[in-house]
Amino acid sequence: MSMLERMNKARLAILASGRGTNAVRLIEASKEGFFPAEVAAVISDVKDAPVLAKAKELGVEALHLEPGPKKTYLVPEVEKEWVRVLKEYRVDYILLAGFMRVLKRAFFESFANRIINIHPSLLPSFRGLDAQSQALDFGVKVSGATVHFVDDSLDSGPIIMQEPVEVREDDTVHTLSKRILEAEHRIYPEAVKLLVEGRLEIKGRKVKILKEEHGR
């Protein structure tokens, strides 16, 4: 890769708390040249999260940052430290991949409309934790995966892309989760490609996907 190509690539940070299967898929997609961006860092709020070891194995810098005293969000002073680190890595876009904390003001002031997330349901249905279990308990016939922009409410930002997944009569949380995860691995790289190519336009609650010639 030439120096010019490196300079023109967007820089991504992945925030994750757990296994990191979506993080791995995004790193692989970046290395395959699926989208014009490189993963500059993987950051976790969990010191021994498997995602950190997986990122290092793939040659991506991985680090743990202290999450502070709260279990579900970063308090303002901690959030400002996270943002400072992200700016040190010259991050253009933030991708949440199983990051189990709600982001607050400092992130949106610095990365407005540049943070996206993957969620294992067809939003706005089944927000929050255990979305697959919620779907089974409710008895829906179709669930799925959603990529959306992140705002200051839980799983409520404008929707970029969705893929439906049939809920079978004999499904368990495990079997349904597995098929939804396969859908996540398909649509998340697609959504990141649109994002870094400048082909997403937010109009109120709607996200318009621009034709390729209108992108950056």
Side-chain angles (χ1 to χ4, degrees):
M1 182 185 300
S2 69
M3 181 63 71
L4 181 60
E5 286 174 322
R6 285 185 178 275
M7 291 175 64
N8 288 336
K9 276 197 165 189
R11 291 174 62 81
L12 311 174
I14 300 174
L15 307 190
S17 300
R19 295 178 300 163
T21 62
N22 271 304
V24 167
R25 182 67 200 104
L26 293 172
I27 294 169
E28 290 173 343
S30 72
K31 291 181 177 294
E32 293 163 1
F34 184 76
F35 43 69
E38 61 180 333
V39 179
V42 172
I43 303 174
S44 182
D45 57 325
V46 179
K47 191 172 184 179
D48 57 353
V51 66
L52 296 176
K54 291 177 181 177
K56 290 177 182 177
E57 289 174 4
L58 291 168
V60 174
E61 190 155 353
L63 60 152
H64 164 253
L65 293 181
E66 290 296 335
K70 302 297 182 180
K71 290 185 177 181
T72 58
Y73 65 95
L74 307 173
V75 297
E77 57 269 27
V78 173
E79 192 172 53
K80 288 177 182 177
E81 174 61 16
W82 280 57
V83 168
R84 184 192 67 77
V85 172
L86 289 164
K87 288 181 176 179
E88 277 191 356
Y89 279 92
R90 296 179 288 110
V91 167
D92 299 301
Y93 301 98
I94 298 172
L95 316 177
L96 307 186
F99 187 64
M100 305 307 291
R101 293 175 187 270
V102 177
L103 302 184
K104 298 290 185 178
R105 180 175 177 179
F107 273 92
F108 301 120
E109 288 178 344
S110 298
F111 297 98
N113 298 330
R114 290 188 287 148
I115 308 173
I116 65 175
N117 180 50
I118 186 85
H119 185 74
S121 78
L122 294 178
L123 292 173
S125 298
F126 311 125
R127 298 175 182 175
L129 297 175
D130 303 319
Q132 304 93 327
S133 179
Q134 292 183 59
L136 288 173
D137 290 344
F138 201 84
V140 297
K141 304 303 182 183
V142 178
S143 188
T146 302
V147 183
H148 63 96
F149 281 100
V150 176
D151 61 16
D152 58 0
S153 297
L154 182 63
D155 299 325
S156 67
I159 291 168
I160 300 168
M161 188 175 291
Q162 294 181 303
E163 182 175 325
V165 174
E166 177 190 5
V167 180
R168 300 168 184 166
E169 289 188 4
D170 60 349
D171 262 329
T172 64
V173 171
H174 174 75
T175 59
L176 179 59
S177 298
K178 183 178 178 180
R179 294 202 310 284
I180 290 176
L181 188 60
E182 291 169 356
E184 292 178 33
H185 290 175
R186 286 190 289 270
I187 66 173
Y188 211 175
E190 292 280 357
V192 172
K193 179 178 172 66
L194 294 171
L195 178 70
V196 300
E197 289 180 349
R199 294 172 55 200
L200 298 177
E201 182 178 297
I202 302 174
K203 291 188 174 183
R205 280 220 48 86
K206 295 183 179 180
V207 176
K208 180 180 180 181
I209 297 177
L210 305 176
K211 293 182 179 180
E212 194 164 0
E213 60 265 29
H214 294 298
R216 285 193 283 237

